[in-house]
Amino acid sequence: MEGTGDVNHERPRTGRRGFLIGTGATLMAGALTACSTGEKKESSTGGGSDDLDVVVIGGGIAGLAAARHLTDGGKKVVVVEARDRIGGRMFTDRTSMPVPVDLGCEWIHGQDASTWDLVRQLGLKTHQDTVFATREKPGDPWKRTVEEDPRPGYRNFRIVGGYNQLLTPLAEKLSIRLNTVVKRVEYSSTGVTVHADRKGRPVTYKARAVIVAIPVAVLAADTVEFSPPLPPTKVEAFKSVPQESIHKVAMAFDHPVFPEDADLVGEVDVITDDSTPWYLLSPPKGTPGPEGLVFTALIEGEETTRALALSRERRYAEVLDVIRSTMGDRKLQPVKVLEHEWFKDPFARAPYSKYGIPGEDLIYEPTGGSLYWAGIITESVDTSRDSGEEVAGEVLRRLGRK
């Protein structure tokens, strides 16, 4: 769990040779749109929520894992999600490009990640990213090198066909309310009332407890009102969490551009110089569809801030210039371009947050006997899931299992 428990929270190393170890794994989160099979007709008060045990705020993997654990424990649960899809910063776009593109989180880090049981349950294929293609200058033959594991047993994998496939078993038969934006949470030792806006009309959910599973940057922006007000120390802890900078721009071309068998492409200094903020990444090998047409430019650090301050047209031009220079073809022209600006997303407000900070334990402390917190600081998909399940276990112990 994030912030509590015995999970090893060592942050994977970033930088040129470490980007597959850290960059992108904690980016954000999903794109399934309608796993709400438990939907029931709502009452005039908007919730249709009589006799609820728990309301889960947030349909990312932490919220879904919590709801799954509670539902399997015999509790009556509803998940309220502001977006028109589940997954949060796990966002697989399946319609814009010839192949699925993960605009949020992308890697499973290590062979011990808790998400492997979902991979096996669904029979999904994965690809380990290891092959770097570099060359001294444009026009030279590509040199392929294999990245060595920086830590024993620590490897990095991507799911063929998109990360958000993992959400299916978690969301199955859950009662999920999409397009439902929480405005106010009233809580006491005896229960909670959640006030929200659903497509322009007020809805209300009453329950014995609530689990808040939304990003810390959203909480720090005070977009959700709590009554009584949260302790000042907790609010200050929200606001003190630094937000990391990273951005993806995917481009599709009308002919194969990316070198065969490579996972990462760049000039030599992309691999050896930590001052270089750019990477070019292909879809995982085995992805159905044309190969070499689509790939993603990753920008991180201060360069992200600079790039996002540009107009979209100028940003795309700079990305294309990097691709043209790296591939050695000044005539390359994309037929499609795709990005998601997480800093402008009102339900994310950042790609991901810095982990292992002072005050982290305070963030996860339950409040008022009925208000719980899960997945607030997202380090990776598996620790977010672990967070949701562990907090759900705390709630089950308080409410009692059926």
Side-chain angles (χ1 to χ4, degrees):
M1 170 183 173
E2 296 176 337
T4 61
D6 298 326
V7 176
N8 181 3
H9 295 140
E10 179 181 352
R11 181 185 174 87
R13 170 175 70 93
T14 57
R16 263 3 82 213
R17 299 197 62 81
F19 108 96
L20 287 175
I21 307 160
T23 301
T26 52
L27 268 181
M28 26 252 175
L32 297 179
T33 57
C35 295
S36 180
T37 57
E39 195 90 14
K40 62 184 282 187
K41 185 176 181 180
E42 293 185 340
S43 67
S44 58
T45 59
S49 56
D50 295 340
D51 302 321
L52 282 175
D53 292 305
V54 183
V55 176
V56 176
I57 302 174
I61 196 165
L64 294 177
R68 172 86 278 139
H69 195 67
L70 289 164
T71 300
D72 292 347
K75 298 306 176 185
K76 188 174 181 180
V77 182
V78 67
V79 179
V80 292
E81 166 55 47
R83 295 183 173 90
D84 61 358
R85 61 174 177 83
I86 60 174
R89 289 175 289 186
M90 180 186 289
F91 184 9
T92 306
D93 186 300
R94 302 180 182 280
T95 60
S96 302
M97 295 287 192
V99 297
V101 176
D102 280 314
L103 293 171
C105 53
E106 193 154 2
W107 284 274
I108 298 176
H109 288 291
Q111 296 172 308
D112 297 328
S114 63
T115 42
W116 280 108
D117 69 314
L118 299 174
V119 173
R120 290 188 289 267
Q121 179 182 339
L122 295 167
L124 300 177
K125 295 181 179 179
T126 60
H127 172 76
Q128 182 183 349
D129 285 335
T130 57
V131 180
F132 294 78
T134 63
R135 53 187 176 185
E136 294 293 335
K137 60 181 181 295
D140 285 356
W142 290 104
K143 298 179 181 179
R144 290 168 173 79
T145 59
V146 177
E147 174 79 344
E148 296 180 0
D149 294 335
R151 298 187 310 206
Y154 196 93
R155 296 175 179 148
N156 297 276
F157 302 82
R158 287 184 287 160
I159 297 174
V160 175
Y163 214 145
N164 76 335
Q165 296 172 94
L166 292 187
L167 301 176
T168 303
L170 296 178
E172 184 179 7
K173 296 184 179 180
L174 292 182
S175 180
I176 303 173
R177 306 293 193 263
L178 300 176
N179 300 299
T180 305
V181 182
V182 172
K183 300 294 187 180
R184 179 181 172 88
V185 177
E186 299 171 358
Y187 64 97
S188 70
S189 60
T190 58
V192 299
T193 302
V194 176
H195 300 275
D197 181 276
R198 191 174 192 206
K199 295 183 177 180
R201 69 186 183 93
V203 291
T204 303
Y205 303 95
K206 294 184 178 181
R208 300 166 65 190
V210 62
I211 296 177
V212 179
I214 58 180
V216 71
V218 177
L219 292 168
D222 296 323
T223 58
V224 179
E225 180 185 357
F226 292 89
S227 180
L230 297 175
T233 51
K234 185 179 284 285
V235 174
E236 181 58 33
F238 292 155
K239 296 180 183 295
S240 68
V241 177
Q243 303 305 311
E244 300 280 24
S245 295
I246 191 165
H247 188 63
K248 293 181 176 182
V249 178
M251 290 191 173
F253 298 86
D254 61 3
H255 65 280
V257 176
F258 210 88
E260 293 183 11
D261 302 326
D263 302 313
L264 174 72
V265 160
E267 296 175 355
V268 170
D269 63 358
V270 172
I271 305 301
T272 61
D273 182 2
D274 271 358
S275 67
T276 304
W278 297 85
Y279 313 94
L280 303 179
L281 184 72
S282 73
K285 297 299 178 287
T287 298
E291 294 187 2
L293 301 185
V294 179
F295 50 95
T296 302
L298 280 78
I299 316 168
E300 67 172 0
E302 294 181 0
E303 184 70 2
T304 303
T305 304
R306 188 195 65 80
L308 290 175
L310 301 173
S311 67
R312 183 167 293 181
E313 291 75 15
R314 180 58 187 160
R315 182 163 61 251
Y316 292 170
E318 288 203 2
V319 171
L320 180 59
D321 188 60
V322 170
I323 292 173
R324 285 172 170 174
S325 176
T326 304
M327 299 303 177
D329 185 350
R330 303 303 305 179
K331 296 181 180 179
L332 284 176
Q333 191 66 37
V335 294
K336 292 184 179 180
V337 182
L338 180 65
E339 67 176 0
H340 185 83
E341 295 186 57
W342 293 102
F343 284 106
K344 293 184 179 180
D345 184 330
F347 309 122
R349 294 181 176 263
Y352 63 101
S353 305
K354 198 151 186 86
Y355 196 76
I357 62 165
E360 189 171 286
D361 291 342
L362 178 60
I363 286 175
Y364 288 100
E365 286 183 2
T367 311
S370 60
L371 181 53
Y372 294 81
W373 312 86
I376 303 300
I377 307 175
T378 303
E379 165 65 357
S380 61
V381 171
D382 58 305
T383 55
S384 296
R385 180 197 182 188
D386 296 344
S387 173
E389 290 187 348
E390 187 162 341
V391 172
E394 294 178 24
V395 176
L396 279 177
R397 287 189 289 273
R398 179 198 158 213
L399 301 183
R401 291 180 177 269
K402 291 183 181 179

PDB file of all heavy atoms in Angstrom, residues 7-8 44 48 83 95 121 129 149 158 166 169 202 207 237 247 309 312 315 317 324 327 329 363 377:
ATOM      1  N   VAL A   7       5.082  -3.015   1.894  1.00  0.00           N
ATOM      2  CA  VAL A   7       5.517  -3.031   0.512  1.00  0.00           C
ATOM      3  C   VAL A   7       6.787  -2.206   0.346  1.00  0.00           C
ATOM      4  O   VAL A   7       6.926  -1.135   0.927  1.00  0.00           O
ATOM      5  CB  VAL A   7       4.397  -2.471  -0.400  1.00  0.00           C
ATOM      6  CG1 VAL A   7       4.890  -2.395  -1.840  1.00  0.00           C
ATOM      7  CG2 VAL A   7       3.164  -3.345  -0.308  1.00  0.00           C
ATOM      8  N   ASN A   8       7.715  -2.711  -0.434  1.00  0.00           N
ATOM      9  CA  ASN A   8       8.941  -1.978  -0.711  1.00  0.00           C
ATOM     10  C   ASN A   8       8.633  -0.834  -1.662  1.00  0.00           C
ATOM     11  O   ASN A   8       8.216  -1.044  -2.785  1.00  0.00           O
ATOM     12  CB  ASN A   8       9.971  -2.929  -1.349  1.00  0.00           C
ATOM     13  CG  ASN A   8      11.273  -2.220  -1.645  1.00  0.00           C
ATOM     14  OD1 ASN A   8      11.440  -1.049  -1.327  1.00  0.00           O
ATOM     15  ND2 ASN A   8      12.199  -2.942  -2.243  1.00  0.00           N
ATOM     16  N   SER A  44     -35.159  10.131  -6.850  1.00  0.00           N
ATOM     17  CA  SER A  44     -35.264  11.558  -7.104  1.00  0.00           C
ATOM     18  C   SER A  44     -34.167  12.338  -6.401  1.00  0.00           C
ATOM     19  O   SER A  44     -33.839  13.447  -6.786  1.00  0.00           O
ATOM     20  CB  SER A  44     -36.639  12.080  -6.643  1.00  0.00           C
ATOM     21  OG  SER A  44     -36.819  11.815  -5.260  1.00  0.00           O
ATOM     22  N   GLY A  48     -29.990   6.707  -5.490  1.00  0.00           N
ATOM     23  CA  GLY A  48     -30.448   5.332  -5.474  1.00  0.00           C
ATOM     24  C   GLY A  48     -29.573   4.498  -4.577  1.00  0.00           C
ATOM     25  O   GLY A  48     -29.214   3.370  -4.896  1.00  0.00           O
ATOM     26  N   ARG A  83     -14.993  10.951 -14.701  1.00  0.00           N
ATOM     27  CA  ARG A  83     -14.834  10.816 -16.147  1.00  0.00           C
ATOM     28  C   ARG A  83     -15.934   9.947 -16.759  1.00  0.00           C
ATOM     29  O   ARG A  83     -16.721   9.328 -16.058  1.00  0.00           O
ATOM     30  CB  ARG A  83     -13.469  10.206 -16.470  1.00  0.00           C
ATOM     31  CG  ARG A  83     -12.274  11.065 -16.093  1.00  0.00           C
ATOM     32  CD  ARG A  83     -10.991  10.374 -16.549  1.00  0.00           C
ATOM     33  NE  ARG A  83      -9.815  11.214 -16.359  1.00  0.00           N
ATOM     34  CZ  ARG A  83      -9.080  11.247 -15.277  1.00  0.00           C
ATOM     35  NH1 ARG A  83      -9.408  10.477 -14.241  1.00  0.00           N
ATOM     36  NH2 ARG A  83      -8.026  12.030 -15.188  1.00  0.00           N
ATOM     37  N   THR A  95      -8.806   4.246 -30.437  1.00  0.00           N
ATOM     38  CA  THR A  95      -9.537   4.698 -31.616  1.00  0.00           C
ATOM     39  C   THR A  95      -8.786   5.700 -32.483  1.00  0.00           C
ATOM     40  O   THR A  95      -9.136   5.882 -33.648  1.00  0.00           O
ATOM     41  CB  THR A  95     -10.874   5.340 -31.190  1.00  0.00           C
ATOM     42  OG1 THR A  95     -10.612   6.467 -30.345  1.00  0.00           O
ATOM     43  CG2 THR A  95     -11.743   4.339 -30.437  1.00  0.00           C
ATOM     44  N   GLN A 121      -4.564 -14.142 -15.133  1.00  0.00           N
ATOM     45  CA  GLN A 121      -5.985 -14.446 -15.133  1.00  0.00           C
ATOM     46  C   GLN A 121      -6.615 -14.189 -16.497  1.00  0.00           C
ATOM     47  O   GLN A 121      -7.475 -14.954 -16.962  1.00  0.00           O
ATOM     48  CB  GLN A 121      -6.697 -13.599 -14.079  1.00  0.00           C
ATOM     49  CG  GLN A 121      -8.200 -13.802 -14.003  1.00  0.00           C
ATOM     50  CD  GLN A 121      -8.842 -12.892 -12.957  1.00  0.00           C
ATOM     51  OE1 GLN A 121      -8.165 -12.419 -12.046  1.00  0.00           O
ATOM     52  NE2 GLN A 121     -10.127 -12.645 -13.080  1.00  0.00           N
ATOM     53  N   ASP A 129      10.812  -4.706 -22.404  1.00  0.00           N
ATOM     54  CA  ASP A 129      11.566  -3.690 -23.139  1.00  0.00           C
ATOM     55  C   ASP A 129      13.042  -3.770 -22.789  1.00  0.00           C
ATOM     56  O   ASP A 129      13.431  -3.505 -21.649  1.00  0.00           O
ATOM     57  CB  ASP A 129      11.044  -2.293 -22.796  1.00  0.00           C
ATOM     58  CG  ASP A 129       9.720  -2.000 -23.468  1.00  0.00           C
ATOM     59  OD1 ASP A 129       9.442  -2.613 -24.511  1.00  0.00           O
ATOM     60  OD2 ASP A 129       8.966  -1.175 -22.945  1.00  0.00           O
ATOM     61  N   ASP A 149      19.619  -5.469 -16.614  1.00  0.00           N
ATOM     62  CA  ASP A 149      18.814  -5.146 -15.445  1.00  0.00           C
ATOM     63  C   ASP A 149      19.674  -4.430 -14.419  1.00  0.00           C
ATOM     64  O   ASP A 149      20.719  -4.943 -14.007  1.00  0.00           O
ATOM     65  CB  ASP A 149      18.235  -6.413 -14.809  1.00  0.00           C
ATOM     66  CG  ASP A 149      17.240  -7.099 -15.727  1.00  0.00           C
ATOM     67  OD1 ASP A 149      16.656  -6.399 -16.573  1.00  0.00           O
ATOM     68  OD2 ASP A 149      17.065  -8.318 -15.601  1.00  0.00           O
ATOM     69  N   ARG A 158       5.578  -4.384 -20.818  1.00  0.00           N
ATOM     70  CA  ARG A 158       4.356  -3.720 -21.236  1.00  0.00           C
ATOM     71  C   ARG A 158       3.354  -4.766 -21.697  1.00  0.00           C
ATOM     72  O   ARG A 158       3.728  -5.854 -22.154  1.00  0.00           O
ATOM     73  CB  ARG A 158       4.636  -2.717 -22.356  1.00  0.00           C
ATOM     74  CG  ARG A 158       5.354  -1.471 -21.861  1.00  0.00           C
ATOM     75  CD  ARG A 158       5.528  -0.449 -22.963  1.00  0.00           C
ATOM     76  NE  ARG A 158       6.533  -0.864 -23.924  1.00  0.00           N
ATOM     77  CZ  ARG A 158       6.630  -0.372 -25.158  1.00  0.00           C
ATOM     78  NH1 ARG A 158       5.745   0.519 -25.583  1.00  0.00           N
ATOM     79  NH2 ARG A 158       7.590  -0.776 -25.968  1.00  0.00           N
ATOM     80  N   LEU A 166      -6.246  -4.712 -17.849  1.00  0.00           N
ATOM     81  CA  LEU A 166      -6.204  -5.218 -16.475  1.00  0.00           C
ATOM     82  C   LEU A 166      -7.419  -4.805 -15.658  1.00  0.00           C
ATOM     83  O   LEU A 166      -7.702  -5.407 -14.619  1.00  0.00           O
ATOM     84  CB  LEU A 166      -4.945  -4.694 -15.761  1.00  0.00           C
ATOM     85  CG  LEU A 166      -3.591  -5.183 -16.226  1.00  0.00           C
ATOM     86  CD1 LEU A 166      -2.518  -4.687 -15.280  1.00  0.00           C
ATOM     87  CD2 LEU A 166      -3.546  -6.695 -16.326  1.00  0.00           C
ATOM     88  N   PRO A 169     -11.332  -7.509 -14.825  1.00  0.00           N
ATOM     89  CA  PRO A 169     -11.770  -8.323 -13.686  1.00  0.00           C
ATOM     90  C   PRO A 169     -12.023  -7.506 -12.427  1.00  0.00           C
ATOM     91  O   PRO A 169     -12.829  -7.909 -11.585  1.00  0.00           O
ATOM     92  CB  PRO A 169     -10.619  -9.313 -13.480  1.00  0.00           C
ATOM     93  CG  PRO A 169      -9.430  -8.661 -14.113  1.00  0.00           C
ATOM     94  CD  PRO A 169      -9.959  -7.850 -15.246  1.00  0.00           C
ATOM     95  N   PRO A 202     -27.986  17.233  -9.403  1.00  0.00           N
ATOM     96  CA  PRO A 202     -27.390  16.791  -8.133  1.00  0.00           C
ATOM     97  C   PRO A 202     -27.760  15.350  -7.819  1.00  0.00           C
ATOM     98  O   PRO A 202     -28.890  14.907  -8.070  1.00  0.00           O
ATOM     99  CB  PRO A 202     -27.981  17.752  -7.110  1.00  0.00           C
ATOM    100  CG  PRO A 202     -29.260  18.214  -7.721  1.00  0.00           C
ATOM    101  CD  PRO A 202     -29.041  18.237  -9.197  1.00  0.00           C
ATOM    102  N   ALA A 207     -23.785   6.390   3.027  1.00  0.00           N
ATOM    103  CA  ALA A 207     -23.168   5.104   3.325  1.00  0.00           C
ATOM    104  C   ALA A 207     -22.559   5.136   4.714  1.00  0.00           C
ATOM    105  O   ALA A 207     -22.554   6.167   5.400  1.00  0.00           O
ATOM    106  CB  ALA A 207     -22.092   4.775   2.286  1.00  0.00           C
ATOM    107  N   ALA A 237      -0.404  18.584   4.071  1.00  0.00           N
ATOM    108  CA  ALA A 237       0.303  17.430   3.510  1.00  0.00           C
ATOM    109  C   ALA A 237      -0.071  17.228   2.047  1.00  0.00           C
ATOM    110  O   ALA A 237       0.793  16.935   1.204  1.00  0.00           O
ATOM    111  CB  ALA A 237      -0.016  16.178   4.319  1.00  0.00           C
ATOM    112  N   HIS A 247       5.643  13.997 -20.265  1.00  0.00           N
ATOM    113  CA  HIS A 247       4.603  14.165 -21.283  1.00  0.00           C
ATOM    114  C   HIS A 247       4.873  13.215 -22.437  1.00  0.00           C
ATOM    115  O   HIS A 247       6.032  12.900 -22.738  1.00  0.00           O
ATOM    116  CB  HIS A 247       4.571  15.607 -21.782  1.00  0.00           C
ATOM    117  CG  HIS A 247       3.420  15.913 -22.672  1.00  0.00           C
ATOM    118  ND1 HIS A 247       2.105  15.838 -22.249  1.00  0.00           N
ATOM    119  CD2 HIS A 247       3.364  16.282 -23.984  1.00  0.00           C
ATOM    120  CE1 HIS A 247       1.301  16.168 -23.240  1.00  0.00           C
ATOM    121  NE2 HIS A 247       2.027  16.432 -24.309  1.00  0.00           N
ATOM    122  N   ALA A 309       4.361  24.705 -22.349  1.00  0.00           N
ATOM    123  CA  ALA A 309       4.084  26.148 -22.421  1.00  0.00           C
ATOM    124  C   ALA A 309       3.953  26.628 -23.863  1.00  0.00           C
ATOM    125  O   ALA A 309       3.436  27.722 -24.111  1.00  0.00           O
ATOM    126  CB  ALA A 309       5.179  26.930 -21.706  1.00  0.00           C
ATOM    127  N   ARG A 312       0.231  24.131 -29.151  1.00  0.00           N
ATOM    128  CA  ARG A 312       0.217  22.733 -29.568  1.00  0.00           C
ATOM    129  C   ARG A 312       0.942  22.554 -30.904  1.00  0.00           C
ATOM    130  O   ARG A 312       1.694  21.586 -31.095  1.00  0.00           O
ATOM    131  CB  ARG A 312      -1.231  22.248 -29.683  1.00  0.00           C
ATOM    132  CG  ARG A 312      -1.374  20.792 -30.047  1.00  0.00           C
ATOM    133  CD  ARG A 312      -2.788  20.299 -29.842  1.00  0.00           C
ATOM    134  NE  ARG A 312      -3.125  20.285 -28.426  1.00  0.00           N
ATOM    135  CZ  ARG A 312      -4.299  19.872 -27.957  1.00  0.00           C
ATOM    136  NH1 ARG A 312      -5.246  19.471 -28.783  1.00  0.00           N
ATOM    137  NH2 ARG A 312      -4.537  19.871 -26.661  1.00  0.00           N
ATOM    138  N   ARG A 315       4.669  22.711 -30.274  1.00  0.00           N
ATOM    139  CA  ARG A 315       5.128  21.509 -29.572  1.00  0.00           C
ATOM    140  C   ARG A 315       5.228  20.335 -30.538  1.00  0.00           C
ATOM    141  O   ARG A 315       6.215  19.595 -30.530  1.00  0.00           O
ATOM    142  CB  ARG A 315       4.168  21.194 -28.422  1.00  0.00           C
ATOM    143  CG  ARG A 315       4.582  19.989 -27.611  1.00  0.00           C
ATOM    144  CD  ARG A 315       3.874  19.945 -26.279  1.00  0.00           C
ATOM    145  NE  ARG A 315       2.422  19.853 -26.385  1.00  0.00           N
ATOM    146  CZ  ARG A 315       1.580  20.842 -26.091  1.00  0.00           C
ATOM    147  NH1 ARG A 315       2.038  22.020 -25.692  1.00  0.00           N
ATOM    148  NH2 ARG A 315       0.266  20.670 -26.184  1.00  0.00           N
ATOM    149  N   ALA A 317       5.675  20.468 -33.698  1.00  0.00           N
ATOM    150  CA  ALA A 317       6.778  20.729 -34.617  1.00  0.00           C
ATOM    151  C   ALA A 317       8.118  20.349 -33.990  1.00  0.00           C
ATOM    152  O   ALA A 317       8.997  19.789 -34.669  1.00  0.00           O
ATOM    153  CB  ALA A 317       6.775  22.200 -35.030  1.00  0.00           C
ATOM    154  N   ARG A 324      12.554  13.484 -36.869  1.00  0.00           N
ATOM    155  CA  ARG A 324      13.249  13.595 -38.158  1.00  0.00           C
ATOM    156  C   ARG A 324      14.759  13.495 -37.987  1.00  0.00           C
ATOM    157  O   ARG A 324      15.449  12.801 -38.737  1.00  0.00           O
ATOM    158  CB  ARG A 324      12.895  14.926 -38.809  1.00  0.00           C
ATOM    159  CG  ARG A 324      11.498  14.986 -39.406  1.00  0.00           C
ATOM    160  CD  ARG A 324      11.168  16.400 -39.854  1.00  0.00           C
ATOM    161  NE  ARG A 324       9.947  16.460 -40.645  1.00  0.00           N
ATOM    162  CZ  ARG A 324       9.372  17.583 -41.054  1.00  0.00           C
ATOM    163  NH1 ARG A 324       9.930  18.760 -40.722  1.00  0.00           N
ATOM    164  NH2 ARG A 324       8.269  17.554 -41.771  1.00  0.00           N
ATOM    165  N   MET A 327      15.681   9.819 -36.892  1.00  0.00           N
ATOM    166  CA  MET A 327      15.488   8.834 -37.948  1.00  0.00           C
ATOM    167  C   MET A 327      16.282   9.166 -39.218  1.00  0.00           C
ATOM    168  O   MET A 327      16.383   8.337 -40.121  1.00  0.00           O
ATOM    169  CB  MET A 327      13.997   8.728 -38.291  1.00  0.00           C
ATOM    170  CG  MET A 327      13.140   8.277 -37.127  1.00  0.00           C
ATOM    171  SD  MET A 327      13.690   6.684 -36.450  1.00  0.00           S
ATOM    172  CE  MET A 327      12.546   6.518 -35.063  1.00  0.00           C
ATOM    173  N   ASP A 329      15.562  11.508 -41.524  1.00  0.00           N
ATOM    174  CA  ASP A 329      14.693  11.783 -42.666  1.00  0.00           C
ATOM    175  C   ASP A 329      13.963  13.098 -42.409  1.00  0.00           C
ATOM    176  O   ASP A 329      13.000  13.154 -41.657  1.00  0.00           O
ATOM    177  CB  ASP A 329      13.692  10.642 -42.862  1.00  0.00           C
ATOM    178  CG  ASP A 329      12.850  10.816 -44.117  1.00  0.00           C
ATOM    179  OD1 ASP A 329      12.896  11.903 -44.738  1.00  0.00           O
ATOM    180  OD2 ASP A 329      12.131   9.858 -44.476  1.00  0.00           O
ATOM    181  N   ILE A 363      -1.172  11.612   5.261  1.00  0.00           N
ATOM    182  CA  ILE A 363      -2.158  11.627   4.176  1.00  0.00           C
ATOM    183  C   ILE A 363      -3.086  10.431   4.265  1.00  0.00           C
ATOM    184  O   ILE A 363      -4.288  10.534   4.008  1.00  0.00           O
ATOM    185  CB  ILE A 363      -1.431  11.674   2.816  1.00  0.00           C
ATOM    186  CG1 ILE A 363      -0.859  13.077   2.585  1.00  0.00           C
ATOM    187  CG2 ILE A 363      -2.362  11.275   1.670  1.00  0.00           C
ATOM    188  CD1 ILE A 363      -0.011  13.205   1.334  1.00  0.00           C
ATOM    189  N   ILE A 377      -1.162   9.064  -3.531  1.00  0.00           N
ATOM    190  CA  ILE A 377       0.129   9.340  -4.167  1.00  0.00           C
ATOM    191  C   ILE A 377       0.500   8.095  -4.962  1.00  0.00           C
ATOM    192  O   ILE A 377       0.837   7.061  -4.387  1.00  0.00           O
ATOM    193  CB  ILE A 377       1.232   9.659  -3.140  1.00  0.00           C
ATOM    194  CG1 ILE A 377       0.784  10.774  -2.209  1.00  0.00           C
ATOM    195  CG2 ILE A 377       2.521  10.033  -3.837  1.00  0.00           C
ATOM    196  CD1 ILE A 377       1.764  11.060  -1.099  1.00  0.00           C
TER     197      ILE A 377
END
